[in-house]
Amino acid sequence: RAKEAGRNAIRFFTVEMDRQVQDRLEIEQELRQVLERGELSLAYQPQVDAGSGRVVGAEALLRWQHPRLGNVPPMRFIPLAEEIGLIGPIGEWVLREACTQARRWLEGGLGELRIAVNVSARQFHELDLAERIAAILEQTGLPAHLLELELTESMLMGDAERTEDMLHRLKRLGIGLALDDFGTGYSSFAYLRRFPIDTLKIDQSFVGAMVAGANAESIVAAIIAMAHSLQMRVVAEGVETAQQQRQLFQHGCDSMQGYLFGRPLPPEEFSALPLLRGQAG
Ligand code: C2E
Ligand code: MG
Ligand code: MG
Ligand code: MG
């Protein structure tokens, strides 16, 4: 009996693995055509000023509406796109789309909204990223200071000399640079001081843990103080409750992003947000 159960378990396991491999292969095949098929879109999540509550910008988040699988989350296809060498064209599409949208909002009287765009490791290490972005800003007519790239700590580690050079090339365009998911990777104080980073985004895991105990709250307070001492702006991610908002505000956090203020939304819904109204003109 035990033997049979074992065999069944193995059979189940194999079937399950086959299915996963099948799924992955299918996703991979379809990912190659995703741009031509027009299945990608961007959702925009508001970033609000901590003091006034006004929307000051948005993070562009990639969405893939798959005909059969439905909404495929970015964490499921972006690493794959990196692996199979498709992140270049996809990343370029994201940048162009986000800049086009931000320019539309500017023209439409929504004011100067800063658009934050996530960049993958592979994309960051392409030597011509700065030139590509320069071309996109030129084509879309978006003022450079309204674009902010979100990078992660792991991208900046390694060859500090080369990283510094890449970051300065980007800075020379006049765009902003943000460090995403801060606190989840390794970055030394020395690197933070050395690199031209404008914004630090506190990872949502710290924000989420604040309710539970004083520990996370003092970490958050320390991160904010440190960032300000380096003249960086601080954005808190994943703000879900009014209590978190109060705590962050007390510690001097500059901007906030999270479900409390708004989910990632399609552009039409974003521009109807109440916190945007009155900002026109
Ligand atoms: P991220 O850049 O840290 O983005 C924040 C993620 O947290 C988003 O997940 C957002 O929907 C989610 N989020 C926002 N507010 C809250 C909240 O209050 N509570 C909770 N629980 N979650 C919240 P999403 O859209 O699934 O994106 C996941 C990750 O995928 C992003 O993390 C980013 O690393 C990556 N990603 C998304 N779009 C792109 C893109 O265009 N290019 C690249 N390279 N990566 C992207
Ligand atoms: Mg991000
Ligand atoms: Mg993040
Ligand atoms: Mg994250």
Side-chain angles (χ1 to χ4, degrees), residues 46-58:
Q47 292 186 347
V48 307
D49 176 71
S52 66
R54 282 293 170 83
V55 178
V56 290

Side-chain angles (χ1 to χ4, degrees), residues 42 45 59-63 73-75 78 87 94 117-120 123 150 180-181 204 237-240 257-260 264:
L42 293 180
Q45 186 176 33
E59 178 174 4
L61 293 157
L62 190 54
R63 298 291 178 255
M75 291 320 275
I78 288 169
I87 201 66
V94 170
V117 177
N118 294 282
V119 169
S120 79
Q123 222 183 333
E150 294 198 358
D180 203 354
D181 305 335
Q204 52 191 54
E237 296 191 288
V239 182
E240 294 182 347
Q257 182 182 340
Y259 296 164
L260 181 64

Side-chain angles (χ1 to χ4, degrees), residues 42-46 58-60 97-98 101 105 115 263-267 270:
L42 293 180
Y44 298 89
Q45 186 176 33
E59 178 174 4
E97 183 71 15
Q101 187 57 63
W105 285 331
I115 189 88
R263 302 224 161 213
L265 298 167
F270 181 90

Side-chain angles (χ1 to χ4, degrees), residues 1-251:
R1 283 211 65 96
K3 226 177 189 174
E4 197 178 310
R7 249 198 315 273
N8 284 340
I10 288 168
R11 192 172 307 130
F12 173 75
F13 192 61
T14 319
V15 168
E16 180 62 18
M17 274 194 337
D18 273 357
R19 208 181 49 77
Q20 278 176 19
V21 169
Q22 222 24 67
D23 263 14
R24 199 198 121 115
L25 276 177
E26 196 182 328
I27 287 185
E28 189 178 318
Q29 287 306 320
E30 290 172 334
L31 202 49
R32 293 182 191 279
Q33 297 155 33
V34 80
L35 285 170
E36 294 121 74
R37 292 203 200 161
E39 290 167 3
L40 294 181
S41 65
L42 293 180
Y44 298 89
Q45 186 176 33
Q47 292 186 347
V48 307
D49 176 71
S52 66
R54 282 293 170 83
V55 178
V56 290
E59 178 174 4
L61 293 157
L62 190 54
R63 298 291 178 255
W64 179 12
Q65 191 59 41
H66 186 283
R68 194 175 46 78
L69 299 172
N71 197 356
V72 185
M75 291 320 275
R76 260 192 86 193
F77 70 88
I78 288 169
L80 190 59
E82 279 216 316
E83 220 176 284
I84 62 177
L86 281 178
I87 201 66
I90 291 177
E92 181 129 1
W93 181 87
V94 170
L95 276 161
R96 184 168 288 111
E97 183 71 15
C99 290
T100 302
Q101 187 57 63
R103 166 72 200 232
R104 247 183 241 137
W105 285 331
L106 186 64
E107 299 284 278
L110 288 193
E112 294 218 322
L113 294 175
R114 192 191 293 111
I115 189 88
V117 177
N118 294 282
V119 169
S120 79
R122 187 81 178 259
Q123 222 183 333
F124 178 70
H125 288 110
E126 298 284 347
L127 265 175
D128 61 347
L129 180 64
E131 282 102 274
R132 281 166 189 263
I133 290 177
I136 290 170
L137 289 170
E138 163 117 39
Q139 287 157 13
T140 59
L142 184 72
H145 72 279
L146 294 183
L147 174 64
E148 183 160 78
L149 298 188
E150 294 198 358
L151 312 169
T152 58
E153 292 167 277
S154 59
M155 291 180 200
L156 308 185
M157 297 303 109
D159 188 344
E161 205 90 354
R162 187 168 178 276
T163 300
E164 198 174 9
D165 178 56
M166 291 293 291
L167 294 175
H168 281 289
R169 276 185 215 217
L170 293 168
K171 276 309 294 176
R172 274 198 294 274
L173 300 174
I175 66 175
L177 298 178
L179 201 47
D180 203 354
D181 305 335
F182 184 77
T184 60
Y186 301 90
S187 26
S188 72
F189 197 76
Y191 276 18
L192 285 182
R193 247 187 55 187
R194 176 170 175 180
F195 296 150
I197 305 284
D198 309 281
T199 303
L200 213 149
K201 294 189 81 177
I202 303 179
D203 190 67
Q204 52 191 54
S205 59
F206 295 105
V207 175
M210 275 199 315
V211 283
N215 203 7
E217 188 175 357
S218 39
I219 292 173
V220 165
I223 294 176
I224 295 171
M226 180 209 60
H228 284 168
S229 79
L230 297 172
Q231 271 77 51
M232 293 179 190
R233 186 175 79 100
V234 181
V235 180
E237 296 191 288
V239 182
E240 294 182 347
T241 69
Q243 193 191 339
Q244 291 163 354
Q245 179 191 21
R246 262 194 310 278
Q247 287 169 302
L248 288 160
F249 181 69
Q250 273 164 15
H251 294 299

